[in-house]
Structures are given as structure tokens and as C-alpha cells.
Amino acid sequence: MKKIAITKAISKHRLNASVKLLTLAVTAMMVTPLSQADVAHGGVIRQVGDLEIYQAATAGQINLTMMLDTSGSMGISSLVIPKTNPYGSPGDIKSGEYSQRLCKTEIQDNVPQWQYSAVDNRANSPTRGKTSFHKSITINGTTVDYYLRGCGNPSIDADGNLIEPRDAEGELTGGFDRLSRLKDALITLIASDKINDNVSIGLGTFSAKATNRDGTTKVSNTEIPLVDGHSGVMLVPMGKLTPAHRLRLIQAIAEFQSIDAGTDQQGNVNVNYRPSNQSPIIPESLKKASSGTPTANAYAEVASYMMGTNTGILTSRPDRVQMLYDGETIMHKYDGSSSEGTTIYWVCVGLLRPAENDMTAKALGSTDENVYQCDNQYFDAQFLYLNNGTYYLNVSATNTNKVTPLGQGKSPRQYNHLYKPDGTKPTQEEVNQILNTPLTTTTVATDYKDPIAQRYTWELYKKLPVGWRLGGWMKVPYQSLDIEAVASKNWGNTEAGASSAVSYRTSPFALTVDRTTYSNSKTWGACPTGYEPIPG
């Protein structure tokens, strides 16, 4: 749990006599088995753990509502993305050491996809030899199984404690993802005798699955259930910690799964989770780390619940959640640079507008065009020109007499969609300094899809600086948005002859969208710079 400042600023003498309930909204980021909070008492700051907070004021009635953070950053992302990530949610690995990753990748349709790598080596474990760690707990006569997943070399000792090794600098060499740590900590706590049976506890989560009119949680006309990215929901009503209620809480927590692009929570292969699978079968009941962290919405949900009301009711629910959009692209090509090839990462910072062609596309098993596309402006060899044995990207109107990789008589087209991090367009001189690649063959390409032409284009993609963008796609140094299985689709990139996988996001702003009034407010495009990462 993140440190919570708890100050005794309200004394019992200031409370109205009719107020008999102490209500605490317990936030969600419990990622260690025992957390600490700074507590001021008598002018002295001391460390107090979760158990003491839960055990406090046992003479009165305590109502606790726990909101679990089940956003995308709680899954495998936490073990892939660095701590300092200016493009999205931070992870748990050392910043600047992205090449020394804990997790593994599997090539799927020529695109690398992240997978858990920590293997359970316990002798009698049901998951021995798999990238999953089985645990179970018996309460009220019922055994609840749950699974933890991680990367590197973490383990579980004979007492069930999670072991996460660190190097001399205190950085993880093996760890469990945040969702696994959260599950294990809460299940262990609720099953213990450390909390008084008279304490009442309820359980919620954010983000929630958006329920449509027909009761499904599908996005647009798709067979993929996704969370809406902007709401919290109560999973277990508040109740005293009887054995039966403890069981209900633990079962609800255990339902959340750590999956990756190819394996289920038990470490078994599941082809439905591969982005290369264009017609996956995903059950409505699947609960996993997904989407964003609408903290304010979650607190509003729990506050209204504690007050016996709600945050509002949508009287006319849509048939489907309509707002799904391009989020991030992984682009990969075996270009001879190494046996692993080269991978380039892009984040979408500007969507197409209704007046523009090809605004939407089909994805995730949809039968109609359900995805709002990024402003796809990947250039190809038709925009390159040759000068003194070197190819450059043409952003000027004065290079019509130059030669492209397509041969004589093929004047280069002017590319008008290149932007620097400050939102301005670079001059031809600036472009020539960074986007250049030498002529390697005198063979003329038949068209821009010819491998000869694609090779020159790919070399310029590789040299594009981080923070620069092609239309709505900004180049980033690593996969920087939350990694979510079953929310991606593999596409080809004919401009550079590369393979790519696009991950999609649900809108955190609206359940429906009117295409006739769709505006920049739905994207970062409202900013003149499109998007500029925070320095440092």
C-alpha cells in the first residue's frame, strides 16, 4: 500500500454523538504483505502497519471498504516498464535498464510479446515447472485456489512467504507482479485471526466492466469483454467477518488473474490470449489487470456506497461501449542488425477526425468498424530522395528533381506529417541531419512495397528520434503503456516491410460517442504539441 498519512486531527469530543461508525476507505495499492504508514501521535511520528490500522478502535464498530486497483499497471507491465516512465504508468524495474528485463518475450507473427518467466520449482506444487505459483487457503470448510505470477527468479518459501531477490543496489532480480502481491497480501490478511470478527468489510475494484443493455461487457460489436476505464464497482457487500463472509471476500479476490500474451493464470498455453489470434474466445467472466486507474471515480463509488447511495444510474444503457481507439504499436523487423531483429515502439497521441477518411477500423473480432484510428502517417519510399549517395526524407517542395528508390521519373513526394516534440515541423536541413541512410544498391525498386525500398524506409524509422511523431504516432524508447493481453491485434506495415501489433484502449471519458460532434477533447490532439513527455 502506498504510504497513507493518518493524523489524529479529529478528536472524539468533536464528533456528533449520533455518529457511531468509523468508516475508512482503504486505497488499493497494497503491493507488499505488510505495509507501513506514518502516524502522528503525541507529536511523535512512528511507523504503523496495516494490521494495526485494521485493529484500531476495536471498542467501536468499524466499517472498511477495500477498493482494489486492478488497472493494467498491476499486471505484467509492472515487471516490464521502468520506474521512471514519462509516457504512462511507471513499473517496478530499474530505470535506464530496460535491456536487462526480468520477463521473457515470445515472437508471435514476427512481433515480440511479453510473457511471465518466473518458474515454480517447489517439489510438490501443482504448478511445478510452470510460469505460475499455486497457493491455496481453506476457510469455512472450503479450499480456495489462487495463482501468483512473476518474472526473474522470485520464489515462495516453506511458510508461504513471497521471496523477491534484489541486487546490491536494491533492484529486483526477480519479483511477482503487483496484482499477485495484492492478492496474496489481502487473502492472507482476511484469512488470519488478526482482524476482529466484528469488523465489517466490503470489497470493490476499479476499473469496472461496463455493462451494456444486454448484460454483456463487450466493446462495440466485438466479442472481447473489456473494462470501461472510468468507473469503480462494488464486488462484495459489506458484512461482519464471519467465516462465510471471509470466504466471499477471498473468493472475489482470487478471481482476478495474471495472464499474458499466450498463457493463462496457471501458466498453461492459451491461444485465445495471443494478439495473433484474430478470432479469440474470451469468457465474460475473465477478470484481469486492465485499463486505467480512475482513482477519483473509485473513491466516489465507495463513498456513495458507504453513504447508502450511488454515483448515478444510466437509464438508457448503450448496446455496446462505442469508444475504442488505437493506443500503442509494437513494430518489429528482422533487418540483419542482430538475430533478434529491431523493435520500434509508438504511442498514439492524435486520432483521426470524422471528416477524414478511414476514421475507424475493425478489430478484436468485430464485424463492423469499431476502432477509432490513430492518424496513421507512416511514410514510405515515395517520400525519399537521393542526394550524393544518401537517401533523405523529403519534407520540402523544392526536391522534385531528385530521384527516389523507385528510379528515374519518380519524383519524391513531399511529406507533411513530421513533428518535433515541441509540435513544430522540422526544416529539410534538420531532417537531413538525422534521417539519412546510404545507398546500398543500384537496383531499382519496382514500387514502395519492394523489399529494396522498404529497407531504406525502415532505416529512417529506426533513426527517428524519440518524441518525434509521424502524424498521430509518437516514437517512444520502449513499450510504455500498460501491457494487456487480449486487447491487441497484429497488423502488417507495408511501408517498411515490418510486422506490428496494435493495442487498443477504451475511452475513459464516455460510454458512447457521437461521431458528428466528435472533437479534439477525446485525444491529446487538443494540445498544440500533441504530447510532450515530462523532462527527466
Side-chain angles (χ1 to χ4, degrees):
M1 181 180 292
K2 290 180 177 177
K3 290 187 176 180
I4 310 169
I6 302 178
T7 306
K8 297 181 66 176
I10 304 177
S11 71
K12 61 181 180 181
H13 303 293
R14 294 172 58 188
L15 293 176
N16 186 288
S18 63
V19 180
K20 298 181 181 180
L21 301 182
L22 171 63
T23 58
L24 299 177
V26 182
T27 192
M29 286 291 283
M30 185 185 292
V31 294
T32 55
L34 182 62
S35 303
Q36 297 289 324
D38 292 331
V39 179
H41 182 69
V44 178
I45 302 294
R46 70 183 186 90
Q47 293 291 307
V48 174
D50 290 329
L51 296 184
E52 290 184 70
I53 295 173
Y54 299 146
Q55 291 170 317
T58 54
Q61 174 62 52
I62 300 177
N63 292 343
L64 297 174
T65 298
M66 298 186 291
M67 293 297 290
L68 309 186
D69 182 351
T70 56
S71 62
S73 62
M74 297 292 283
I76 194 172
S77 301
S78 61
L79 298 174
V80 172
I81 297 175
K83 296 176 182 177
T84 302
N85 177 28
Y87 311 103
S89 300
D92 293 339
I93 69 169
K94 183 177 181 180
S95 302
E97 297 292 336
Y98 195 69
S99 61
Q100 300 177 14
R101 307 173 182 94
L102 301 181
C103 303
K104 65 181 181 180
T105 56
E106 179 182 86
I107 301 298
Q108 300 177 11
D109 283 358
N110 295 321
V111 179
Q113 298 288 348
W114 292 108
Q115 292 190 339
Y116 292 99
S117 63
V119 176
D120 185 1
N121 294 315
R122 293 173 295 169
N124 299 314
S125 172
T127 49
R128 178 175 171 79
K130 297 182 178 181
T131 56
S132 176
F133 294 75
H134 170 268
K135 293 190 75 174
S136 66
I137 198 159
T138 300
I139 188 167
N140 200 31
T142 300
T143 298
V144 179
D145 298 305
Y146 62 101
Y147 300 86
L148 313 180
R149 306 196 74 186
C151 293
N153 59 342
S155 59
I156 299 177
D157 67 18
D159 295 324
N161 299 312
L162 308 190
I163 307 300
E164 297 182 303
R166 295 179 180 271
D167 60 22
E169 298 179 355
E171 301 295 339
L172 284 173
T173 62
F176 293 94
D177 67 16
R178 294 172 180 172
L179 182 60
S180 295
R181 285 179 279 173
L182 173 65
K183 287 165 55 177
D184 191 64
L186 286 180
I187 288 174
T188 301
L189 176 65
I190 294 170
S192 73
D193 59 0
K194 301 297 183 181
I195 308 179
N196 192 292
D197 293 346
N198 290 322
V199 173
S200 293
I201 292 183
L203 182 69
T205 184
F206 59 97
S207 296
K209 291 184 177 180
T211 305
N212 301 306
R213 186 180 303 148
D214 60 1
T216 67
T217 58
K218 305 298 177 65
V219 174
S220 188
N221 184 20
T222 177
E223 294 306 311
I224 305 296
L226 297 174
V227 302
D228 61 24
H230 65 263
S231 64
V233 64
M234 298 303 301
L235 299 176
V236 180
M238 188 173 296
K240 290 188 176 182
L241 285 181
T242 63
H245 191 66
R246 290 176 188 262
L247 177 61
R248 284 191 291 270
L249 292 169
I250 289 174
Q251 288 175 325
I253 295 168
E255 286 183 351
F256 286 92
Q257 305 177 25
S258 293
I259 67 174
D260 60 29
T263 61
D264 62 20
Q265 65 169 342
Q266 298 182 39
N268 298 319
V269 173
N270 190 322
V271 296
N272 290 301
Y273 297 163
R274 293 172 178 254
S276 56
N277 188 338
Q278 304 305 318
S279 300
I281 301 174
I282 308 297
E284 283 274 345
S285 59
L286 177 65
K287 294 180 180 179
K288 64 181 184 68
S290 184
S291 197
T293 311
T295 308
N297 306 57
Y299 280 132
E301 196 73 44
V302 68
S304 62
Y305 173 74
M306 301 286 278
M307 296 171 66
T309 181
N310 57 57
T311 53
I313 299 175
L314 188 62
T315 56
S316 180
R317 290 181 294 181
D319 290 327
R320 292 288 187 272
V321 178
Q322 295 296 322
M323 187 61 188
L324 191 67
Y325 62 94
D326 288 342
E328 185 172 39
T329 289
I330 308 171
M331 194 177 290
H332 182 266
K333 185 173 183 177
Y334 290 103
D335 53 10
S337 60
S338 70
S339 60
E340 297 180 351
T342 302
T343 304
I344 299 175
Y345 302 93
W346 310 87
V347 169
C348 181
V349 297
L351 302 180
L352 288 172
R353 308 292 183 262
E356 298 170 293
N357 295 328
D358 298 323
M359 175 185 170
T360 56
K362 296 179 182 180
L364 305 184
S366 175
T367 57
D368 64 8
E369 295 184 341
N370 65 320
V371 177
Y372 286 78
Q373 291 193 73
C374 194
D375 186 9
N376 296 305
Q377 298 293 345
Y378 296 116
F379 60 79
D380 57 45
Q382 298 177 83
F383 296 92
L384 309 187
Y385 74 92
L386 183 65
N387 187 38
N388 294 326
T390 300
Y391 277 112
Y392 302 95
L393 176 64
N394 179 40
V395 297
S396 170
T398 62
N399 292 318
T400 56
N401 61 332
K402 303 296 184 180
V403 177
T404 73
L406 310 186
Q408 296 288 343
K410 301 290 185 179
S411 299
R413 298 173 60 187
Q414 182 182 1
Y415 183 71
N416 296 311
H417 307 283
L418 181 64
Y419 298 91
K420 297 188 294 185
D422 63 2
T424 63
K425 293 184 176 182
T427 64
Q428 187 66 63
E429 290 72 21
E430 289 176 306
V431 172
N432 289 353
Q433 291 178 10
I434 57 175
L435 298 182
N436 56 77
T437 184
L439 175 69
T440 57
T441 178
T442 57
T443 302
V444 176
T446 56
D447 60 31
Y448 75 90
K449 298 179 182 179
D450 188 302
I452 296 174
Q454 290 174 331
R455 183 172 67 249
Y456 293 125
T457 302
W458 179 251
E459 290 302 314
L460 296 192
Y461 283 7
K462 289 163 59 176
K463 291 187 176 181
L464 186 72
V466 167
W468 289 48
R469 57 188 173 94
L470 309 179
W473 288 110
M474 182 178 73
K475 189 175 182 181
V476 292
Y478 45 75
Q479 192 165 356
S480 52
L481 298 187
D482 297 338
I483 302 164
E484 299 183 26
V486 312
S488 299
K489 179 180 178 180
N490 283 18
W491 296 84
N493 176 267
T494 57
E495 292 84 354
S499 300
S500 64
V502 179
S503 62
Y504 303 104
R505 295 291 186 270
T506 49
S507 170
F509 305 109
L511 288 176
T512 61
V513 60
D514 183 349
R515 297 186 181 185
T516 62
T517 60
Y518 180 79
S519 68
N520 285 358
S521 64
K522 294 291 194 301
T523 76
W524 287 296
C527 302
T529 60
Y531 175 81
E532 185 174 359
I534 300 173

